[in-house]
Structure formats: structure tokens, C-alpha cells
């Protein structure tokens, strides 16, 4: 019988990964994601898999690279400073077209920063971080149930597109407890992975690499990657639209921040201001189109981008809106969360300003 | 007509790109020969690293993966954890293994990772044109120690084999030199033993090869062999540092 279980976000991610068939986990301790590791250490062996505490995040991501090259379903998790160290591996994984799942439970930066929640890794997650022209699919869940379902889905996407899929959470999502309803069976899509390294008995030998010394070959490889990314933009872009049809002000927020904004919508409407929200679920590919369309609407007067950083996603919002409507910004950093009142007050001010 | 010598099936037909007199090619050949002689080529997965041999995935006729600079032992760990029954080896230079990849090699050894590492010590960074390596000798002139390696400024060479031999997880470590027929045969025996150690699941094994880089040493192939024997061997003595009495 299925029933709701109260679980911590980080543990749900680990449980989801195991349910999704992940059997190779490599990690290095860092707050606020360490419970993922602890859960893996406890359960991975029982699940018939391998848990390795790596000597560094650099080693962990390279173990993922090796395990993935060998055909395994594999994952690593970390938080911001550790994710910075993994960027080398991300670029190689992109170049070699290997499936991998990486979880970033973002904490406040820059530098060692603080251990409280933030969204300051948006640029790093969505615009590269490592070297070269590549993309990672970036998924931003906003609840524990979504952490579960999207982690499972991340493994399927990684295999399907042979690329890195990042779950971008934050300290709040990782640490909080919410009820989660697990499925009896996970929708695992098995892939054959003919390219994987298994020992070449009975076939030609396989090689996995990301180096192309010949410029034309490398350009062809890049064109291939870009074509894959364009297809993903068409097929995999996901967002949630909330009360946008009649909205005069549309909030754009993701993850934990969107939870705070969600409550503000009702409060603003109670005071007669029609507010809606677009919540990007995939941060790459970004839901550009829906924002561009909304920007054309006569009822819509302004966008309000709210983030737990000094203004990163706002660049994508502005690109989508392309000057058609004003884009306001509210952000908190350092691990602080905006209060509902803070956002509501701002909305009231914007409402006044755009109706003058 | 009887065939008296055949190129090993462990290597592809792709011609090596190494400089004349470079001993990387000999090391490739003996590894490939052992893979065939032990009949493990078809279950072997190799890890290429970053250095002159970055593309030896084109030379070894087995499944191969190319790793980032210094990370081969971590990549090999990932591979081996997925396929514990397969033979897994890395092939790394001294810049790769002893400088940027020092953490990865030490911890792979400490974990007793059941892989085999081939460590090619030519006392310089070959591919990037002869910079000082952690293994460069005191007084050695390189492009980044143009007045000779000075211990007061650039510290001392690292004896990797001796250092790793202190780790319990390391089960077999031998240093050999690619200098003449006798030593090449000894090197081949070391490669064979390292693979047997892995096959028996005993843990981490490594063979360090003293190897030449005529191009960056600015010497002829013959002078290079002499230089290796006269200068490298006193700092890096040949021998078994771990697992001498292992019966495999
Ligand atoms: C992260 C990173 N840093 C630097 C380089 C440049 N690089 C390429 S090969 C090499 C030196 C390799 O030297 P060694 O490991 O001694 O191997 P050899 O070329 O002598 O065989 C360096 C520094 C790189 N590819 N990646
Ligand atoms: S540069 Fe040195 S190590 Fe590299 S192939 Fe030439 S001789 Fe060999």
C-alpha cells in the first residue's frame, strides 16, 4: 500500500536515485547536502551498488565520468563550493557525451560564503561554469515530492540525451521535511548503451574521449552537440504557469523562492491586484517562449523577478521580454529569504507605478 | 615461411606519433603484449591521461576512455566499480600523476583500488615542451628551470613509488627502466605481475617506468638512454618497493 512518508529533502533525493536505478554514487562531504551521502552510505550497498567517499569533489566527478563511461547509472551531489570544483568534470562529461546526474544543494556565496540557502549558482548552472560550448539540463524542483519525481526523471533524461542533468536545489529544500508519496514502480527507461566500455569481447573496441585535434572534426562535434541542445529546448522545456491569464503583474521565480511568491499571489489578489507567476522548472532549457508571449499581452503591465541572489535569472527574463514590458527585481543574498510582506509591498508599489 | 615475429594484437595498426627514440612506444608494446599473453585484452578497459600519450586510446586495441589531466585514477575507480571483473589500467606521465593528479593517485592506492597504474617518469612535462616536473632532478635544466632545478627555489624531486609503497592499500609497486633489452624484459615481467595482482583481486598495483624524452632533454636517443642511467637511476633506483614476496 502506498502512503505518504515524512522525509527530509536530501534523503528523498538519495532514495529517488536508488529507486531510479542509480548504483554508483561518489561524493564528498559539504553542508547542506551531506544527508544525501549519509543515506547513500547506508543504503547503496544493500541495493547492490557502490558508494565511494571520494578524496575531493574533483575526484568524485571523475569517478562519475568513469562509472558512466562503463555504462553505470551514476550520480554525485554537492553544494556550491564543491560544485565549482566539479566544473572540469562537467565539461569533459559534456564533451564525451556521458549521462550523469549531479545534485547541487546551493548555499550562499561567493567564496566559502555561508551554509544557508541561496540561488547564487544560477549563472554557473545554466551558462556553463566549465570551459567550452556545452549545456547541462538544469531542473529546479520546489517541493519534496518534486525532488523525488524529478530526480527519477533526471536519470532518464541523462541517458536519453547522454548528458549531465543537474538538480538545482537549495539549503531549504535539502533540509526541510515534507510528506512524499513514492510510486510502487519507477518509470525507468532502460537504454542499451552500445557505446559503453565493458571489455570488447564479441565487438570492436569502444573509445570514449572529448579530444579532437582536427579543427573540422571538433567543429562537427560542436555542431552535433548544438543540434542536440536545440532539440532539447523544443522538447524538454518545463514551467508552471499560475494565474497568468488575467495577471497585471507576473512574478518569475523558481525553487524555494517560488514557494514564498506563491503565497503572495493570493494576498495581492485579495487586495485587488491581479498577480500571477511563471515558475521555470527547467532553468536550462529556459521557458523563454511563455515569457515572450506574456510580454505581448495587453493586460500584463510588468514582470517581477524574485531570486535568492543579486539578480541572475533576470537576464534570461529580460532576454525573453525583450524590452516589451518593465522587469522589476527583488533579491536577497547571504542565506536570507524574502518575507511575503516584503514581496507584497513591492508588488503594491509596482502596481502604483505602472498605473500612473 | 615461419612467422618469427608479429606485432602484438594488443595494439591497433595506427602508427605511433611519438618522437624518434621516445620510449613511450616500447612501454605501449610491452603492456599490449602482456594483455595478449594473459588473454585479458578482451576484458580490459584502459584509461588514457593527459600528456604525450593523450590519444593512446587509438593505439591500445581494447576499450579505452580518455581522462582529464591527473584524474585517470579516479576515472579508473569509476570504471572498476562498475566492472570489478574487468582488468582496468591507467597510463600516466609524471606531470599528470605526480603533480596535478597527486591526490587521485594517493587515494586510489590508499583505497586499495584494484587497478593497475602505469606511471611513466621522464623527468619532464613532455607534451607541453619540457617544463620542470615534480620528478625533475636537482640541477636539471628545463624550460621552467632554465638555470637548473634549485632545491632552494623549486624543492626536491618526488619518489612516487617509494611514497606509495608506504600505503597499506598498495600491494605491488615496482620501478623499472626502459634502457636496454634486459631491462625491457624485466619491465615486461613487472607489467605481467601487476596484471596478475589485479586479476587475483589483491589491490592496487603500479609499475613506474624510467623513460626518455629525447626531444625535451635535447639529446639523441642514445645519449638519452645514457642520461637516464647516469642521472635518473641514482635518484630513482630500480626495484620492487612493495609486494616483492607476493606469489602471483
Ligand atoms: C587541467 C590541465 N592543465 C594543463 C594541461 C596542459 N598539459 C597537457 S599535457 C601536460 C603535461 C603532461 O606531462 P606528463 O604527464 O609528464 O606527460 P608526458 O607528456 O611527459 O608524457 C600539460 C600540463 C591540460 N591539458 N589540462
Ligand atoms: S615530447 Fe618527449 S615524451 Fe613526448 S613523444 Fe616526444 S620524446 Fe616522447
Amino acid at each position: 500500500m502506498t502512503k505518504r512518508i515524512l522525509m527530509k529533502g536530501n534523503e528523498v533525493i538519495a532514495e529517488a536515485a536508488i529507486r531510479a536505478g542509480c548504483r554508483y554514487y561518489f561524493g564528498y562531504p559539504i553542508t547542506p547536502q551531506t544527508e544525501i551521502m549519509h543515506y547513500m552510505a547506508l543504503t547503496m550497498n544493500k541495493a547492490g551498488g557502490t558508494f565511494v567517499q571520494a578524496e575531493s569533489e574533483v575526484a568524485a566527478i571523475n569517478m562519475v565520468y568513469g562509472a558512466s563511461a562503463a555504462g553505470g547509472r551514476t550520480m554525485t551531489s554537492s553544494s556550491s563550493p564543491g560544485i565549482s570544483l566539479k566544473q572540469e568534470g562537467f565539461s569533459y562529461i559534456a564533451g564525451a557525451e556521458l549521462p550523469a546526474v549531479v545534485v547541487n544543494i546551493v548555499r550562499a556565496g561567493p567564496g566559502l560564503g555561508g551554509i544557508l540557502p541561496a540561488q547564487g549558482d544560477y549563472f554557473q548552472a545554466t551558462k556553463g561554469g566549465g570551459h567550452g560550448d556545452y549545456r547541462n539540463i538544469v531542473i529546479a524542483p520546489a517541493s519534496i515530492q518534486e525532488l523525488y519525481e524529478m530526480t527519477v526523471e533526471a536519470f532518464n533524461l541523462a541517458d536519453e540525451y547522454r548528458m549531465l542533468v543537474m538538480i538545482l536545489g537549495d539549503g531549504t529544500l535539502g533540509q526541510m521535511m515534507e510528506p512524499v508519496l513514492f510510486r510502487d514502480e519507477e518509470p525507468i527507461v532502460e537504454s542499451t548503451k552500445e557505446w559503453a566500455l565493458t571489455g570488447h569481447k564479441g565487438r570492436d573496441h569502444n573509445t570514449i574521449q572529448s579530444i579532437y585535434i582536427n579543427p573540422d572534426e571538433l567543429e562537427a562535434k560542436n555542431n552535433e552537440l548544438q543540434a542536440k541542445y536545440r532539440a532539447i529546448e523544443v522538447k524538454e522545456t518545463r514551467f508552471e504557469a499560475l494565474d497568468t491569464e488575467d495577471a497585471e503583474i507576473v512574478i518569475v521565480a523558481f525553487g524555494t523562492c517560488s514557494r514564498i511568491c506563491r503565497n503572495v499571489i493570493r494576498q495581492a489578489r485579495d487586495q485587488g491586484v491581479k498577480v500571477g507567476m511563471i515558475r521555470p522548472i527547467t532553468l536550462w532549457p529556459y521557458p523563454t517562449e511563455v515569457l515572450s508571449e506574456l510580454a505581448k499581452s495587453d493586460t500584463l503591465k510588468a514582470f517581477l523577478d524574485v531570486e535568492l541572489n543579486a539578480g541572475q535569472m533576470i537576464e534570461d527574463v529580460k532576454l525573453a521580454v525583450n524590452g516589451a514590458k518593465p522587469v522589476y527585481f527583488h533579491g536577497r543574498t547571504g542565506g536570507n529569504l524574502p518575507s511575503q510582506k516584503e514581496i507584497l509591498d513591492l508588488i503594491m508599489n509596482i502596481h502604483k507605478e505602472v498605473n500612473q | 615461411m615461419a612467422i618469427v615475429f608479429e606485432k602484438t594484437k594488443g595494439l591497433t595498426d595506427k602508427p605511433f606519433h611519438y618522437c624518434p627514440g621516445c620510449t613511450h612506444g616500447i612501454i605501449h608494446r610491452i603492456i599490449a603484449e602482456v594483455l595478449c599473453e594473459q588473454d585479458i585484452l578482451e576484458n580490459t578497459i584502459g584509461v588514457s591521461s593527459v600528456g604525450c600519450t593523450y590519444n593512446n586510446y587509438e593505439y591500445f586495441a581494447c576499450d579505452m576512455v580518455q581522462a582529464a589531466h591527473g584524474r585517470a585514477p579516479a576515472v579508473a575507480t569509476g570504471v572498476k566499480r562498475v566492472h570489478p571483473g574487468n582488468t582496468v589500467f591507467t597510463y600516466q606521465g609524471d606531470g599528470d600523476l605526480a603533480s596535478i593528479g597527486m591526490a587521485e593517485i594517493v587515494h586510489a592506492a590508499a583505497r586499495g583500488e584494484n587497478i593497475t597504474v602505469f606511471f611513466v617518469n621522464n623527468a619532464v612535462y613532455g607534451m607541453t615542451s619540457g617544463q620542470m616536473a615534480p620528478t625533475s632532478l636537482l640541477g636539471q635544466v628545463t624550460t621552467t628551470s632554465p638555470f637548473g632545478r634549485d632545491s632552494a627555489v623549486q624543492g626536491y624531486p618526488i619518489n612516487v613509488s617509494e611514497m606509495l609503497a608506504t600505503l597499506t592499500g598498495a600491494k605491488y609497486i615496482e620501478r623499472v627502466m626502459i634502457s636496454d633489452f634486459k631491462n625491457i624484459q624485466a619491465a615486461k615481467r613487472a607489467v605481467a605481475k601487476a596484471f596478475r595482482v589485479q586479476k587475483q583481486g589483491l589491490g592496487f598495483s603500479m609499475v613506474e617506468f624510467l623513460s626518455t624524452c629525447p626531444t625535451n632533454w635535447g639529446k639523441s636517443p642514445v645519449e638519452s638512454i645514457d642520461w637516464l642511467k647516469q642521472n635518473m637511476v641514482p635518484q630513482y633506483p630500480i626495484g620492487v618497493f612493495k609486494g616483492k614476496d607476493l606469489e602471483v
Side-chain angles (χ1 to χ4, degrees), chain A residues 65 70 88 198 203 206 208, chain B residues 42 63-64 66 71 83 86:
Chain A
Y65 178 93
E88 169 191 75
T198 56
R203 59 162 168 79
N206 284 341
I208 289 175
Chain B
E42 287 193 326
D63 277 6
M64 295 288 294
Q66 205 282 330
R71 317 297 178 220
H83 299 303
N86 287 56

Side-chain angles (χ1 to χ4, degrees), chain B residues 17-24 52 122 124 126-127 212-216:
Chain B
H17 68 286
Y18 305 122
C19 308
C22 174
T23 44
H24 267 310
C52 283
N122 59 12
V124 284
M127 179 149 191
T212 62
C213 179
T215 301
N216 289 303

Side-chain angles (χ1 to χ4, degrees), chain A residues 24 26 50-56 58-60 62-72 88 92 98 196-213, chain B residues 12 41-46 50 54-55 57-58 60-69 71 73-83 86 100 103-105 107-108 111 113 127:
Chain A
Y24 307 95
F26 307 93
T50 294
F51 161 85
V52 178
Q53 178 166 338
E55 59 271 28
S56 69
V58 176
N62 281 285
M63 290 174 188
V64 165
Y65 178 93
S68 182
E88 169 191 75
Y92 277 74
L98 290 172
L197 309 181
T198 56
H200 73 284
K201 197 170 176 64
R203 59 162 168 79
D204 279 350
H205 47 264
N206 284 341
T207 56
I208 289 175
Q209 40 70 251
S210 61
I211 184 164
Y212 299 85
I213 291 291
Chain B
T12 64
L41 183 71
E42 287 193 326
N43 93 4
T44 294
I45 302 168
V50 170
Y54 74 93
N55 68 334
Y57 55 81
E58 295 184 303
F60 288 109
C62 58
D63 277 6
M64 295 288 294
V65 53
Q66 205 282 330
H69 199 17
R71 317 297 178 220
V75 173
T77 297
V79 172
K80 187 73 180 186
R81 295 298 177 122
V82 177
H83 299 303
N86 287 56
I100 195 166
E104 284 78 6
I105 191 66
H107 287 276
R111 282 193 303 272
E113 213 62 60
M127 179 149 191

